[in-house]
Amino acid sequence: AQSVTQLDSQVPVFEEAPVELRCNYSSSVSVYLFWYVQYPNQGLQLLLKYLSGSTLVESINGFEAEFNKSQTSFHLRKPSVHISDTAEYFCAVNGGGTSYGKLTFGQGTILTVHP
Amino acid sequence: GAGVSQTPSNKVTEKGKYVELRCDPISGHTALYWYRQSLGQGPEFLIYFQGTGAADDSGLPNDRFFAVRPEGSVSTLKIQRTERGDSAMYLCASSLVEGSLNTGELFFGEGSRLTVL
């Protein structure tokens, strides 16, 4: 069985400040890891993913996450946030096999960026 | 449309009634998933279709829940004898499967919010 823990339910920050959203997972098998984002009044969207290869992955809007196998973590970071980054962020894990889309999600972290 | 479409966006029903929620995936996506999201929680997997067949229905909470995808495109999630605990956002997602390689990306609809009074 797999589980995902997002350590912070809410993270308030000021614009242009750095941010880290924490995610830890547990799994007995090799995993694929994802961050999904939900902007207000929109559906979930993929932000970035780790499937294999380099442990540092980046999104097109400046977020990055690093897969750390020894610490079973996949924290999301951005060096300087914008008002438009205000959203709920979900970490998710998939154990591979035939159901690639069978994800286990964390509880979500609401990021609020203040001017 | 270009994205995953879910109808209705909101459904209010009374305890004991039957409900159907519809999902129209992105054209060409062979994999389709249903998730349920309760308030303050992350989405929870319900069922996964590959084509017309349910490849994994291990997340369905009980036999009141059933889903079909008869032609391999549109799917309907059916809930019988609804209970107040069924109140949640029901999310549908689809993905493109290319042979044995899956990119790992799910495309989600905006969800159907079900309220059972």
Side-chain angles (χ1 to χ4, degrees):
Chain A
Q2 299 158 355
S3 66
V4 176
T5 302
Q6 292 183 241
L7 297 164
D8 305 293
S9 59
Q10 296 192 51
V11 174
V13 294
F14 287 107
E15 194 173 18
E16 298 183 5
V19 71
E20 178 180 80
L21 306 183
R22 296 178 292 170
C23 172
N24 286 92
Y25 70 91
S26 67
S27 176
S28 58
V29 298
S30 298
V31 296
Y32 303 138
L33 293 156
F34 306 85
W35 277 98
Y36 278 81
V37 59
Q38 187 168 28
Y39 298 104
N41 301 314
Q42 295 186 27
L44 284 160
Q45 304 171 32
L46 180 67
L47 183 63
L48 48 74
K49 62 187 177 186
Y50 170 77
L51 302 182
S52 64
S54 172
T55 57
L56 183 66
V57 292
E58 299 178 352
S59 72
I60 59 173
N61 60 347
F63 282 92
E64 65 178 31
E66 185 161 19
F67 169 52
N68 188 319
K69 188 174 181 179
S70 64
Q71 297 189 4
T72 61
S73 68
F74 192 56
H75 301 330
L76 182 69
R77 302 183 181 94
K78 188 170 186 179
S80 175
V81 294
H82 301 278
I83 297 286
S84 60
D85 293 324
T86 294
E88 188 162 17
Y89 293 78
F90 292 91
C91 182
V93 62
N94 169 278
T98 57
S99 293
Y100 289 98
K102 184 178 180 181
L103 301 176
T104 299
F105 283 87
Q107 305 94 316
T109 298
I110 297 173
L111 173 65
T112 305
V113 181
H114 299 284
Chain B
V4 177
S5 175
Q6 291 189 247
T7 55
S9 55
N10 277 287
K11 176 70 176 179
V12 180
T13 191
E14 294 179 343
K15 180 175 179 290
K17 298 291 188 181
Y18 170 81
V19 165
E20 288 190 352
L21 306 176
R22 175 190 167 104
C23 172
D24 198 345
I26 293 172
S27 178
H29 281 195
T30 58
L32 184 146
Y33 311 84
W34 284 98
Y35 282 80
R36 178 168 71 173
Q37 186 176 16
S38 301
L39 201 60
Q41 301 296 318
E44 295 178 299
F45 170 81
L46 295 177
I47 186 170
Y48 154 57
F49 287 90
Q50 180 58 47
T52 60
D56 186 336
D57 64 357
S58 61
L60 294 177
N62 52 60
D63 61 6
R64 295 186 298 105
F65 288 76
F66 189 71
V68 296
R69 194 185 185 199
E71 297 179 356
S73 178
V74 171
S75 175
T76 304
L77 179 66
K78 308 181 180 196
I79 310 173
Q80 298 177 320
R81 305 183 304 280
T82 52
E83 300 177 357
R84 291 193 180 87
D86 298 336
S87 296
M89 179 73 84
Y90 288 83
L91 302 174
C92 178
S94 68
S95 71
L96 182 65
V97 180
E98 301 173 10
S100 61
L101 175 64
N102 185 297
T103 62
E105 178 170 4
L106 299 187
F107 295 83
F108 282 86
E110 293 188 14
S112 292
R113 182 170 296 285
L114 174 66
T115 303
V116 182
L117 302 177

